[in-house]
Amino acid sequence: MPNLNDLNVKAREVIGRDAQVQADARIDGVLVQEMAQGVEMILGGVNDPVFGPYVVLGMGGIFSELIKDTTLRFAPFDAATAHEMIEEIRGARLLPRLSRDAPYDIEALADAIARLSWLLFDHADRIAELDINPLFVRHAGRALLPPTA
């Protein structure tokens, strides 16, 4: 929304449509948040009953379905290992080329991968599986975003 007035108009339209569908609907407000944008990645992990927890990283969006471009490591590990994982993804070579502005935040991605590995390791008794899909890698300094952030 370009300005607050346009936002108010759209919010009233949404509330009006809801009231038409269900006249007794109780609407306490409208939640507005930034639309997540960036390069889509998949980040997740599994606690395998035999081998223990491992982390999976891959390109998201159409890349995940078309080229099945993923890599994995057993947890836990550090940011250097996370960087190795990023470099193994064929689609990750596009990250520097996709940006016309600032570079994408590879450091933040590596940090998130390493932290997820420790989360899975530290809580292996409570986490069977975890997926962040998509995880939006954004320009440096703008943080990573899951789609509902």
Side-chain angles (χ1 to χ4, degrees), residues 3 16 20-21 23 40 49 59 63 75 94 124 128 144:
N3 59 55
Q20 289 175 352
V21 172
E40 291 183 43
M59 294 299 292
F63 293 107
L94 296 172
L144 303 175

Side-chain angles (χ1 to χ4, degrees), residues 43 55 57 74-83 85-86 106-122 144:
L43 178 60
V55 174
L57 173 71
F74 289 105
F77 52 80
D78 60 10
T81 301
H83 275 283
M85 292 178 73
I86 295 166
I106 302 303
E107 292 303 319
L109 177 59
D111 184 59
I113 297 166
R115 288 175 184 263
L116 181 73
S117 83
W118 279 99
L119 177 73
L120 291 167
F121 181 79
D122 288 342
L144 303 175

Side-chain angles (χ1 to χ4, degrees), residues 84-101:
E84 291 173 7
M85 292 178 73
I86 295 166
E87 291 170 13
E88 290 173 7
I89 302 293
R90 292 185 307 264
R93 294 182 200 124
L94 296 172
L95 286 172
R97 295 183 183 107
L98 291 175
S99 176
R100 293 182 191 157
D101 303 316

Side-chain angles (χ1 to χ4, degrees), residues 31-48:
L31 176 65
V32 178
Q33 65 185 41
E34 176 184 1
M35 184 172 140
Q37 294 178 326
V39 176
E40 291 183 43
M41 302 287 293
I42 297 171
L43 178 60
V46 173
N47 185 16
D48 185 274

